[in-house]
């Protein structure tokens, strides 16, 4: 369907054949879904990360650090069809290498788990024994539909079934293991001889999990990286996952700490549906240095007490010296907010990376300042350095701190990744991953060309990023400046939403207290100009304008013949005249999928509705774009505009999209449209 051409007449037989071919290709793809990660390259990583999870420069995926009471998740981003062979869950195989580094000489905690679940998100999940997947209210509920293999390093939640802290367990819908054994492996060439595997502190550990969908058997094998795969699994249990899993599941890992803590790493991962997963290449796996736990004893404590007064005196002298040195040398003292933010780069390193912020390295300019391309040897990658310039130093610092606070902790494949920052006197700099294809607006308007397939995927990517901001992160994030110039396009033509200088955060279930009007003309929701209160729906409005902009190849407000032509009103006019495809970007030259174009234009009008209560949520938007639900605006419009005008208008009036504009009063052409459209509630 992606290669079909829109024309005046569409041959129904050709369309049906194309749909059949698409269905067959998707079916064959689902039969052999597989992926392999021999280490995790941050620049190419497409995993869905949440919580404390980050990718280290070495390529190791760290689920949690040694902080207490934290949770980390890492999931393959696409759902896996588990029932493509009928009513029985499909066979699968997965191989991964993990490493657990305890925080002290005592046992750490609490372990990690491989998980198959209906969603990569676990609302209200708790740390500790619940491993970031369950909580006391849903633990053990059959409605969870979760299969989990845990690699635990403390005594289990249920002491009677998980007596050994160093154990492997198979769990269904809760943290009570239906089967559990101490971590060990069978030595090749011997009978019933087992060697213990210390899950934490010993080094990298391999795990194989294999499910036979025909015989309904789960095999779990665990053994050190230096050892070949044992001849028999540690556990082989009869379990029918057909009664546990839903149709589409997400595969990934969860880890948690509690009163005790450890760093939990995944070094490599492979997976295959209906087949054997590819073995990982140990020579390509990243290395995690084993941290030696700190130790203390009575003698050390006594020595510390005896020298406390001397140490205190030295510290006071050093503090006075540092303060004097910084005052004389004009070094800045870190403020409180700076201590909790991501990596701080040295100004001299950024200056060198951008060749002294040379004009030839400049890749973008905006109201905030300029963006420069640079190469940082410290991380071995290209970066984009955003240099903020503000006439109001206090406001500039607020926006700078807001962007670090929000973007610095967000991790999603459709959001720009913040590498770090720098504050040197009045220079405020943010360091991002370099996105080579520039911004969406430059590709739309400045000589570039985007196919319809690329445009449609970009719009879905932005929607996925906004859904993460609104509903799937720890707090609600309102972007407040969604527009085409803030959407960057990477090497794979995937969208990454950036520029969080105006973003605001608040807790789920609370209301935003933001009351000042900010944003870009053409994308600002009408209620924002009246009450000045930003919300999820103001982001949805701006996204609706973006939908229309990408489909039509026109800016939200175009000045033509001394008049302001408002994009939304222009699309409504085309629809009321009976052929919405008149609004489509001429550069596409009819090379688009008609049904998708109808969807994007109709959804753009719905999202940019003057009344916020009519607009859909970003979760609903993504369902429309993915084809999971039908957009209520259209049944199907004729590509030739043969539907009667009153039929089309009735659809508009049913949703209130036409507002005060009626077919009897609409008589102005696009060329004579005035800015009075702003007065009707669109801006």
């Amino acid at each position: 369907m992606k290669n079909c051409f829109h024309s005046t007449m569409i041959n129904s037989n050709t369309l049906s054949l194309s749909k059949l071919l698409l269905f067959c290709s998707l079916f064959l793809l689902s039969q052999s879904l597989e992926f392999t990660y021999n280490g995790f390259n941050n620049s190419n990583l497409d995993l869905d990360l949440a919580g404390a999870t980050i990718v280290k420069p070495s390529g190791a995926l760290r689920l949690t650090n040694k902080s207490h009471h934290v949770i980390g998740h890492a999931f393959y981003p696409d759902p896996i069809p588990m029932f493509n062979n009928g009513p029985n869950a499909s066979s699968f195989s997965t191989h991964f290498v993990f490493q657990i580094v305890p925080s002290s000489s005592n046992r750490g905690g609490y372990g990690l788990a491989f998980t198959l679940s209906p969603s990569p998100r676990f609302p209200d999940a708790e740390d500790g024994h619940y491993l970031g997947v369950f909580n006391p209210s849903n633990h053990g509920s059959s409605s969870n539909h979760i299969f989990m293999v845990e690699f635990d390093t403390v005594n289990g939640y249920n002491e009677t079934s998980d007596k050994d802290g160093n154990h492997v367990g198979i769990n269904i819908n809760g943290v009570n293991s239906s089967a559990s054994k101490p971590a060990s492996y069978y030595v090749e060439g011997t009978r019933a001889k087992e060697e213990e595997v210390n899950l934490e502190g010993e080094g990298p550990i391999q795990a194989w999990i294999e499910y036979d969908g025909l015989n309904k058997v789960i095999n779990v094998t665990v053994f050190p990286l230096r050892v070949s795969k044992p001849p028999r699994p540690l556990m082989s249990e009869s379990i029918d996952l057909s009664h546990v899993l839903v149709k589409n599941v997400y595969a990934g890992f969860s880890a948690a700490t509690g009163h005790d803590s450890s760093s939990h790493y995944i070094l490599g991962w492979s997976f295959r549906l209906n087949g054997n997963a590819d073995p990982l290449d140990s020579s390509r796996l990243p290395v995690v240095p084993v941290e030696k736990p700190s130790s203390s004893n009575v003698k050390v404590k006594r020595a510390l007490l005896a020298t406390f007064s001397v140490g205190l005196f030295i510290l006071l002298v050093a503090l006075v010296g540092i303060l004097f040195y910084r005052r004389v040398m004009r070094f800045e003292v870190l403020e409180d907010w700076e201590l909790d933010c991501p990596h701080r780069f040295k100004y001299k390193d950024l200056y060198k990376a951008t060749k002294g912020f040379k004009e030839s390295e400049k890749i973008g300019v905006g109201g905030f300042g300029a963006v420069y391309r640079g190469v940082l040897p410290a991380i071995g990658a290209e970066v984009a350095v955003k240099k903020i310039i503000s006439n109001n130093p206090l406001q500039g610092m607020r926006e700078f701190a807001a962007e670090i606070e929000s973007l610095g902790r967000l991790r999603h494949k459709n959001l720009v990744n913040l590498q770090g920052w720098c504050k040197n006197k009045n220079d405020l700099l943010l360091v991002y991953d370099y996105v080579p294809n520039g911004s969406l607006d430059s590709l739309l308007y400045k000589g570039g060309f985007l196919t319809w397939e690329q445009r449609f995927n970009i719009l879905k990517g932005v929607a996925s990023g906004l859904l993460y901001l609104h509903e799937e992160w720890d707090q609600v994030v309102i972007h407040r400046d969604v527009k085409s110039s803030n959407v960057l396009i990477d090497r794979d033509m995937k969208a990454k939403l950036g520029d969080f200088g105006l973003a605001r955060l608040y807790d789920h279930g609370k209301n935003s207290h933001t009351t000042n009007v900010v944003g870009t003309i053409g994308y600002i929701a009408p209620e924002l100009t009246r009450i000045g209160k930003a919300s999820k729906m103001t982001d949805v409005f701006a996204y609706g304008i973006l939908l229309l902009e990408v489909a039509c190849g026109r800016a939200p407000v175009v000045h033509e013949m001394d008049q302001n032509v408002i994009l939304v009103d222009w699309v409504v006019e085309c629809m009321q005249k009976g052929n919405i495809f008149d609004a489509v970007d001429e550069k596409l030259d009819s090379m688009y999928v008609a049904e998708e174009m109808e969807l994007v234009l109709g959804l753009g009008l719905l999202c940019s509705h003057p009344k916020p209560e009519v607009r859909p949520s970003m979760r609903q938007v993504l369902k429309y774009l993915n084809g999971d639900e039908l957009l209520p605006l259209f049944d199907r419009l004729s590509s030739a505009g043969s539907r009667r005008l009153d039929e089309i208008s009735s659809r508009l009036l049913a949703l209130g999209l036409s507002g005060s504009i009626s077919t009897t009063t609409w008589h102005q052409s696009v060329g004579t449209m005035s800015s009075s459209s702003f007065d009707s509630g669109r801006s």
Side-chain angles (χ1 to χ4, degrees):
M1 291 293 293
K2 297 296 182 183
N3 295 322
C4 68
F5 292 81
H6 169 68
S7 61
T8 303
M9 299 295 293
I10 299 177
N11 185 291
S12 60
N13 292 331
T14 303
L15 185 61
S16 300
L17 179 59
S18 299
K19 289 182 177 179
L20 179 60
L21 291 175
L22 175 61
F23 172 79
C24 292
S25 62
L26 291 175
F27 178 79
L28 291 174
L29 178 63
S30 67
Q31 297 294 309
S32 58
L33 187 146
E34 61 179 298
F35 53 84
T36 301
Y37 297 96
N38 284 296
F40 302 89
N41 186 326
N42 196 32
S43 62
N44 298 321
L45 182 64
D46 58 354
L47 294 182
D48 188 347
L49 310 182
T53 302
I54 64 170
V55 177
K56 301 294 285 182
S58 65
L61 179 67
R62 192 184 71 188
L63 297 173
T64 73
N65 56 22
K66 295 178 182 178
S67 300
H68 297 284
H69 303 288
V70 297
I71 294 171
H73 296 140
F75 277 81
Y76 186 69
D78 299 326
I80 297 173
M82 287 300 298
F83 289 84
N84 52 33
N85 292 328
N88 294 323
S90 298
S91 301
F92 69 87
S93 171
T94 186
H95 178 212
F96 54 92
V97 175
F98 65 90
Q99 187 166 346
I100 303 176
V101 183
S103 59
S104 67
S105 56
N106 298 322
R107 296 304 277 287
Y110 275 66
L112 59 88
F114 171 80
T115 304
L116 295 179
S117 62
S119 170
R121 295 287 180 270
F122 305 96
D124 303 320
E126 293 190 6
D127 52 40
H129 287 294
Y130 294 102
L131 291 176
V133 178
F134 305 103
N135 60 56
S137 62
N138 68 8
H139 161 57
S141 172
S142 60
S143 64
N144 291 328
H145 298 291
I146 292 176
F147 165 75
M148 189 170 78
V149 177
E150 64 174 23
F151 302 85
D152 211 341
T153 56
V154 297
N155 287 338
Y157 174 82
N158 185 339
E159 293 291 338
T160 60
S161 63
D162 292 340
K163 292 182 179 180
D164 192 334
N166 187 61
H167 70 272
V168 179
I170 298 176
N171 299 2
I172 304 295
N173 293 323
V175 291
N176 285 340
S177 297
S178 57
S180 176
K181 289 193 68 175
S184 61
Y185 66 97
Y186 291 93
V187 179
E188 188 173 2
T190 62
R191 284 185 131 189
K193 181 180 179 183
E194 297 182 47
E195 291 286 345
E196 181 182 6
V197 177
N198 185 10
L199 295 180
E200 66 176 5
E202 183 173 279
I205 304 295
Q206 298 190 65
W208 280 89
I209 301 172
E210 298 155 299
Y211 176 64
D212 185 342
L214 180 63
N215 296 310
K216 301 176 179 58
V217 173
I218 290 282
N219 290 328
V220 179
T221 311
V222 60
F223 52 100
L225 181 62
R226 65 181 185 274
V227 177
S228 300
K229 186 178 181 183
R232 55 182 289 194
L234 172 64
M235 289 189 291
S236 185
E237 299 293 328
S238 295
I239 297 176
D240 186 1
L241 293 184
S242 305
H243 303 309
V244 178
L245 302 177
V246 296
K247 182 178 179 180
N248 293 308
V249 301
Y250 288 85
F253 303 90
S254 179
T257 67
H259 181 267
D260 300 316
S261 63
S262 299
S263 294
H264 299 91
Y265 291 90
I266 302 296
L267 306 183
W269 179 26
S270 66
F271 180 96
R272 177 171 291 178
L273 192 66
N274 294 319
N276 295 322
D278 290 334
L280 297 172
D281 185 352
S282 60
S283 65
R284 297 171 58 191
L285 298 180
V287 176
V288 175
V290 178
E291 303 171 23
K292 294 183 180 180
S294 59
S295 61
S296 60
N297 50 46
V298 176
K299 292 182 179 180
V300 174
K301 292 180 180 179
R302 288 176 179 175
L304 289 175
L305 290 174
T307 58
F308 176 79
S309 58
V310 176
L312 180 61
F313 174 78
I314 293 174
L315 287 175
L316 290 174
V317 171
L319 179 61
V320 171
I322 291 173
L323 292 175
F324 175 79
Y325 179 75
R326 287 189 171 183
R327 180 179 294 273
V328 173
M329 299 302 293
R330 293 186 177 181
F331 280 96
E332 289 188 302
V333 179
L334 291 180
E335 300 173 20
D336 292 340
W337 66 268
E338 299 178 66
L339 300 175
D340 297 325
C341 290
H343 179 66
R344 177 171 178 156
F345 288 99
K346 294 180 180 179
Y347 181 81
K348 65 177 183 179
D349 292 338
L350 298 182
Y351 187 86
K352 182 178 180 181
T354 58
K355 300 179 182 178
F357 298 101
K358 194 174 181 180
E359 193 69 19
S360 61
E361 301 303 306
K362 186 181 294 184
I363 56 176
V365 179
F368 54 83
V371 179
Y372 298 85
R373 175 188 171 277
V375 179
L376 279 174
I379 61 175
E382 290 181 305
V383 294
V385 181
K386 176 180 176 181
K387 193 172 186 180
I388 296 177
I389 299 174
S390 177
N391 295 326
N392 183 342
L394 179 59
Q395 180 64 23
M397 179 56 69
R398 286 175 180 171
E399 294 182 5
F400 180 74
E403 189 150 7
I404 295 176
E405 180 186 8
S406 56
L407 187 57
R409 292 181 288 142
L410 299 172
R411 287 295 181 269
H412 189 272
K413 63 181 179 180
N414 295 115
L415 300 180
V416 175
N417 181 35
L418 179 66
Q419 290 280 2
W421 57 279
C422 175
K423 183 169 74 74
N424 180 59
K425 298 181 182 179
N426 293 327
D427 288 325
L428 308 177
L429 303 121
L430 295 170
V431 182
Y432 303 94
D433 284 344
Y434 176 67
V435 185
N437 283 322
S439 61
L440 175 59
D441 68 326
S442 65
L443 294 175
L444 287 174
Y445 308 126
K446 299 177 182 178
F449 177 74
L450 292 171
T451 65
W452 174 245
E453 180 181 5
Q454 291 170 336
R455 298 187 193 205
F456 194 60
N457 287 332
I458 287 169
L459 291 173
K460 289 199 289 186
V462 176
S464 180
L466 282 173
L467 174 61
Y468 173 77
L469 296 177
H470 288 182
E471 300 184 25
E472 295 180 344
W473 194 54
D474 297 339
Q475 290 180 285
V476 177
V477 181
I478 304 176
H479 188 280
R480 301 207 301 171
D481 201 16
V482 176
K483 57 183 179 180
S484 57
S485 61
N486 285 341
V487 177
L488 302 182
I489 310 302
D490 67 11
R491 287 184 175 86
D492 299 321
M493 301 305 293
K494 294 181 180 178
K496 291 183 179 291
L497 182 62
D499 201 339
F500 284 68
L502 299 180
R504 292 295 179 267
L505 293 80
Y506 61 93
D507 293 332
H508 288 280
K510 302 291 182 65
N511 292 323
S512 170
H513 298 293
T514 302
T515 56
N516 58 319
V517 179
V518 296
T520 302
I521 294 296
Y523 299 90
I524 300 176
E527 71 271 16
L528 192 57
T529 63
R530 294 195 298 269
I531 62 176
K533 187 175 181 180
S535 67
K536 297 178 186 177
M537 289 299 104
T538 58
D539 275 357
V540 173
F541 182 94
Y543 178 75
I545 302 299
L546 182 69
L547 285 167
L548 299 179
E549 183 179 3
V550 171
C552 302
R554 293 171 62 95
V557 181
V558 179
H559 193 70
E560 294 180 352
M561 300 177 63
D562 298 325
Q563 301 292 329
N564 287 323
V565 180
I566 312 304
L567 176 59
V568 179
D569 296 337
W570 182 61
V571 175
V572 170
E573 182 192 23
C574 293
M575 180 182 287
Q576 288 180 317
K577 288 183 176 180
N579 192 355
I580 195 173
F581 293 113
D582 285 346
V584 175
D585 188 354
E586 294 180 353
K587 287 192 292 186
L588 288 173
D589 193 25
S590 298
M591 297 172 62
Y592 54 84
V593 182
E595 292 86 350
E596 292 177 351
M597 183 62 75
E598 290 175 358
L599 170 63
V600 169
L601 291 170
L603 186 57
L605 292 175
L606 188 60
C607 288
S608 60
H609 195 287
K611 297 180 180 180
E613 63 271 17
V614 177
R615 300 170 202 154
S617 68
M618 289 311 303
R619 184 174 296 281
Q620 191 68 43
V621 166
L622 208 54
K623 287 181 180 179
Y624 292 145
L625 292 174
N626 288 331
D628 297 330
E629 292 187 13
L630 292 177
L631 184 68
L633 180 59
F634 296 118
D635 293 328
R636 176 180 174 84
L637 291 181
S638 167
S639 60
S642 61
R643 291 294 185 94
R644 296 200 322 271
L645 186 59
D646 57 347
E647 288 185 64
I648 300 168
S649 297
S650 66
R651 291 189 180 91
L652 296 172
L653 293 171
L655 291 177
L657 284 175
S658 59
S660 60
I661 301 173
S662 69
T663 59
T664 59
T665 60
W666 186 276
H667 60 275
Q668 294 175 305
S669 66
V670 174
T672 61
M673 192 182 303
S674 71
S675 60
S676 62
S677 299
F678 281 111
D679 300 329
S680 66
R682 297 190 183 278
S683 59

